[in-house]
Amino acid sequence: EAYILSGNTITKYGKVNDLLSSAKTGDRVVLKKNLTWEADIPYIGEGVTLVVPKGITLTASTLQNAGSLMTSNGSIEIQAGGTLTLPNDDKTDAGGDKDKTTDDWVGDDEKARMQLTEGIMTFSFGGGTQPTLTIDGNVTVPKGERAFLHVTLGPDGKTATGIATTLTTGSVLTVNGELVLATGETGKGAALTIEQGATATVDGTMTVGAAASLTTNNALTVNGTLTINGANTEGFPEGTITGTITLGADAKVTVAASRDKAAEIAKNIEPAAGYEMEKDDDGNWVVKKKETTPPSGGGSTGGGSTGGGTSSGTTYDNTVAAT
C-alpha cells in the first residue's frame, strides 16, 4: 500500500499503519493506493511526510477522522494530480443530517476547491497548533468553488483555526471562484503571504476576514472583488494587509464600514495605470478609467538667441491621447 523513502532510497514496503509506526524524522511515506484515514491509523510523526502522488486520493470522511489526521505532528505533501478529500462544513448532505459531506479540498478536476496543476502543496499540522500550507506550484480556485484557508482541527467540529499559507517564489495562484481568509481564534486567523517572485490574480472574489492577514509583496492583482472585513466580534483584531494591491478594470473593493483602519488599508490599494478609484453610494471603492481631458490650445511658438546665434520658432502638437 505504501513505501518509505529515506533520501533517494526506498527502505521498506508495507501497510500504511506499519510504515507510519516505524518512520523516522526525514522519512517520506509514499502512498501507492488510495487511503481512507481512520482514527486508528498512527499519527504522522514529527518530521515525517505522508506523500499523496499523482492519481492517489487521501480521504478523511468524518470530522473525527479529520481531527485525528490534523493533530498529527508531521506533514502531508500533495503532488499535482493527487487529491486530498476533507469533510466540508459549508454544506450538509442531501438528507439534511449534521454529518458533513466531503469535498476534494485539493485535486486536479474542476470540482476541487483548489486545483493543483503543477508542483506540490505541503500541509503541516504541528500537533494541532496553527497549521501551515506551502504552495510551491500552480494553483487555481475554479469558478463556482469556494476555498477556505481554515480547517477544523478537533473531532467535535468546534476548534476551527486559520491556516498560515505561503505562496512561494515562482508559484502562481489564480482565483476564479472565491478564496476566503477566514476568521479564526484570536491570533489564529488565516494568513496568506505571497513571496516576492510569486504571482496571485483574483478574477473572482477574495475575502480577508477579521483576524486574517494578507502580505502581498506587491504581487497581487484584483480584477474581481476584494472584501476586507474589520473586527466585528470582541477579541478579534482587524484584518491586516501589507504590501500593495493592484486593481484592474472593473475591480471592486469593499471595506467594512466605520473601521478605524479603513483609510490605512486604502493606502495599500492602487488601481492599474490609467484607472482610479472612487467611493460609491454603498461605501464600495470601485475602479474606473481616468477621465483625461486634452489641454486646450493648438500649439506654441517660441524663439531665442544665445551667444549671438538664433533659433527659429518650432510648433508642437499639444494633444494627449487618452488611453
Side-chain angles (χ1 to χ4, degrees), residues 114-196:
M114 288 190 281
Q115 291 178 275
L116 177 63
T117 56
E118 182 180 331
I120 62 174
M121 296 175 66
T122 304
F123 200 10
S124 300
F125 304 113
T129 60
Q130 184 171 22
T132 63
L133 175 65
T134 303
I135 300 173
D136 187 8
N138 294 346
V139 175
T140 299
V141 180
K143 187 175 181 179
E145 295 297 327
R146 176 185 293 171
F148 293 93
L149 293 185
H150 79 263
V151 293
T152 300
L153 291 175
D156 59 359
K158 297 181 180 179
T159 53
T161 187
I163 303 171
T165 302
T166 300
L167 186 68
T168 63
T169 299
S171 297
V172 177
L173 171 63
T174 304
V175 180
N176 295 322
E178 182 177 3
L179 181 65
V180 181
L181 281 65
T183 298
E185 298 175 9
T186 302
K188 291 187 178 180
L192 174 61
T193 299
I194 304 167
E195 290 187 346
Q196 290 185 352

